[in-house]
Amino acid sequence: MSNPNVTDEFKYWKICAWNGPLFMIVYMIFWGMCFNYPPRSGALTAAQVAATFREWPNLFRTGMVVAMTFAVSYAVWAIAISKVQGKIVGKDSILNDLQVWGGGLTVVPLLVTSAMWLTAGYSPDLPDTQLKQLLDNAWMLLDMAYSVTSVQMFAMGVAFLADKRAKPLMPRWVAWFGIWVGIAFIAECLMPFYKTGPFARNGWLNFWVEFLIWFVWAFLVSFYVIKSITRLKEEALAESEEKAKDDAKKGLVYA
Amino acid sequence: MPDGRTQVVAISRPVALADAERISAFRKSKLPGVDGIWVFITGDLVMFMIYFLVFTTGRMEAPAAYDLGRRQLDPLIGCALTLILLTSSWLVVRAVEAAREGSSGRVRTNLLLAMLLGTGFAGLKAFGYVHDALAGHSPSSNPFFGYYYAITGIHCMHVMLGMGLLLICYVKASKPIDDKYVLWIESGACFWHMVDMLWVLLFPMFYLLRSGVL
């Protein structure tokens, strides 16, 4: 016999957790289709950059409108994670706050940079240099805000490492991997110094490797968090049944 | 509330046992340190392997330009940096041995010296960067210096991170040494040796390797 309060609550958790994969898929498609695979090179001239915005204004408008709509999903995902990690470190732990703030604030650069691309698509008749500036600003903010997401990764990693269950909710290697990815993001600091080569914003180290390890981490975390929610629901249901039995017994004794 | 107390005991005992079992399981596996440090080391080695490949590929395309860049660096500084890191690694090994013997005084002394050498490495590297920058070499001046600043810069960040781990071990050594502490110091030492090993590869790559073009 399932307790509807318990099942409903975990259903909400799961919906929130699915926002992670949802965000990644939508972003990969709609943000990516705006000439971001790989990014436009920092070495391009203002005229070359402007030509792209002028040729494809509606592509940028469509892509960035959808990307901005779903950017908040990242924060929703972070909140679901904090609920799960709260079962390990306690719901009042500062690690939950750090994780949620890190995840929530990650949405800010996502929104602001998408708005810059959208502005360029909205007003492609702006001077070439302004269009290039919008593109450069967007990439500077998107790459250099890495430390905000690192805070989320560190807090989450430490929280899941504190899991003392015989079979932890999140495998320990995934928690460690998250901490490592958070540190590996430091390589983003090199980006402003290069316009070409592997460390430039469109370089395969700065873009493909750094973004790929982030995606791998996010998918792994989503997979294990969703799986954990099912497990936590079963545990909560078993606990509630046990409590119901105890209450019934007490009722008999007192009767 | 006797029932509540019984429950606390019932929960905390398996937790303590699980911890002990995990530590002893690692002992049996012969792998030093905590499990996570190997995720770090593997990740970092993969990343640096990619850096080496990228550098080597670029070097094959323009051997003369890379050789010219190499000649601008002072090999004596590179040599001094290598000796500093190798010596600090040796001191860390001594600290681990001391920890296994339970001698916290020796652990702290060796770690302190290792950290001093690590600081020396960072200082000398900073001096090298300033020296190179004043000579007019910037990350964008040519591909060799682009890679030089980027890869040695990332390595330097790893040195800082390693120093942070050694500092934690140093502070923790003020308490009596137990099995868990040994895992900590082994983890810090493994990371430090990785940093050292990477430099042993970076030193010839940037300072010594000739392209065959005179």
Side-chain angles (χ1 to χ4, degrees):
Chain A
M1 195 177 69
S2 68
N3 182 335
N5 290 336
V6 172
T7 47
D8 277 357
E9 182 59 22
F10 284 101
K11 189 170 72 188
Y12 304 143
W13 287 25
K14 203 170 252 187
I15 292 169
C16 292
W18 271 104
N19 268 259
L22 175 73
F23 163 81
M24 283 178 277
I25 291 164
V26 170
Y27 244 74
M28 268 197 289
I29 296 168
F30 288 91
W31 175 87
M33 74 184 194
C34 297
F35 294 90
N36 281 323
Y37 291 143
R40 306 283 284 154
S41 166
L44 290 178
T45 63
Q48 285 172 311
V49 170
T52 315
F53 286 117
R54 287 184 190 131
E55 198 177 341
W56 303 93
N58 285 322
L59 179 85
F60 283 95
R61 289 174 197 176
T62 311
M64 291 305 160
V65 163
V66 180
M68 286 180 78
T69 305
F70 283 86
V72 73
S73 300
Y74 193 88
V76 176
W77 178 63
I79 291 168
I81 295 166
S82 85
K83 286 290 178 189
V84 173
Q85 72 178 45
K87 291 284 183 186
I88 298 165
V89 291
K91 64 179 179 180
D92 292 329
S93 170
I94 196 170
L95 293 172
N96 302 337
D97 298 327
L98 287 169
Q99 195 276 132
V100 167
W101 275 89
L105 286 175
T106 297
V107 176
V108 176
L110 293 173
L111 281 174
V112 176
T113 57
S114 298
M116 289 177 186
W117 272 294
L118 183 57
T119 308
Y122 179 70
S123 301
D125 48 347
L126 283 170
D128 292 2
T129 48
Q130 276 190 30
L131 290 171
K132 180 170 164 55
Q133 191 187 354
L134 279 169
L135 182 72
D136 286 346
N137 278 351
W139 274 107
M140 289 297 159
L141 179 57
L142 195 65
D143 276 3
M144 298 317 298
Y146 75 89
S147 56
V148 178
T149 314
S150 293
V151 168
Q152 181 195 17
M153 291 167 159
F154 296 152
M156 192 191 301
V158 173
F160 282 110
L161 283 173
D163 196 350
K164 301 289 183 192
R165 292 155 190 262
K167 192 186 171 200
L169 293 175
M170 176 90 62
R172 294 176 66 79
W173 70 269
V174 177
W176 280 109
F177 179 65
I179 297 172
W180 176 75
V181 173
I183 293 172
F185 272 176
I186 290 175
E188 291 292 331
C189 293
L190 297 169
M191 187 277 271
F193 297 94
Y194 298 89
K195 288 192 174 178
T196 56
F199 298 105
R201 72 179 181 222
N202 62 329
W204 64 278
L205 277 174
N206 183 278
F207 182 72
W208 293 110
V209 174
E210 291 283 333
F211 278 64
L212 188 73
I213 57 173
W214 177 82
F215 263 97
V216 169
W217 166 80
F219 270 111
L220 282 170
V221 168
S222 297
F223 175 77
Y224 284 109
V225 163
I226 291 165
K227 215 170 143 188
S228 299
I229 293 171
T230 308
R231 194 171 145 190
L232 289 170
K233 186 182 87 177
E234 282 162 8
E235 283 176 11
L237 283 173
E239 198 180 304
S240 107
E241 274 176 30
E242 198 67 30
K243 196 171 174 291
K245 275 183 198 166
D246 280 356
D247 287 350
K249 253 185 211 172
K250 277 177 196 166
L252 279 172
V253 170
Y254 293 130
Chain B
M1 298 261 291
D3 281 356
R5 208 179 302 145
T6 310
Q7 201 177 3
V8 169
V9 172
I11 291 169
S12 64
R13 279 194 64 191
V15 167
L17 279 174
D19 240 343
E21 276 167 14
R22 194 163 47 78
I23 293 166
S24 61
F26 249 88
R27 288 265 165 271
K28 280 176 205 160
S29 76
K30 307 276 185 195
L31 205 58
V34 295
D35 44 2
I37 203 68
W38 293 99
V39 177
F40 264 71
I41 291 173
T42 309
D44 279 340
L45 289 180
V46 170
M47 289 294 266
F48 271 89
M49 186 188 74
I50 295 170
Y51 298 155
F52 295 155
L53 281 174
V54 167
F55 176 82
T56 309
T57 312
R59 194 169 174 277
M60 283 165 69
E61 285 168 8
Y66 277 65
D67 204 50
L68 195 65
R70 177 189 67 78
R71 285 163 194 255
Q72 312 301 314
L73 296 178
D74 186 348
L76 281 178
I77 291 182
C79 192
L81 290 166
T82 310
L83 286 175
I84 287 171
L85 268 193
L86 285 174
T87 312
S88 73
S89 256
W90 173 67
L91 288 164
V92 170
V93 169
R94 284 171 58 92
V96 172
E97 282 172 357
R100 285 174 181 158
E101 288 161 17
S103 168
S104 59
R106 273 170 51 219
V107 169
R108 282 167 70 88
T109 308
N110 283 297
L111 285 180
L112 185 65
L113 290 172
M115 284 188 291
L116 280 174
L117 286 174
T119 311
F121 178 92
L124 190 54
K125 200 82 207 75
F127 170 79
Y129 285 145
V130 172
H131 180 263
D132 298 329
L134 289 176
H137 307 303
S138 73
S140 52
S141 57
N142 69 47
F144 175 86
F145 277 100
Y147 288 123
Y148 166 73
Y149 282 111
I151 298 175
T152 60
I154 292 174
H155 179 265
C156 234
M157 289 175 193
H158 280 77
V159 171
M160 297 306 195
L161 193 63
M163 296 250 289
L165 288 175
L166 294 185
L167 184 64
I168 292 170
C169 293
Y170 178 80
V171 173
K172 277 179 172 280
S174 57
K175 291 177 187 167
I177 287 175
D178 56 10
D179 265 4
K180 210 161 185 176
Y181 178 80
V182 175
L183 279 181
W184 264 99
I185 196 166
E186 282 177 356
S187 306
C190 288
F191 189 84
W192 194 251
H193 293 326
M194 180 203 70
V195 170
D196 185 11
M197 185 198 76
L198 288 172
W199 181 258
V200 168
L201 295 171
L202 290 175
F203 169 51
M205 195 171 97
F206 284 112
Y207 291 83
L208 304 178
L209 206 62
R210 288 169 180 235
S211 66
V213 177
L214 297 173

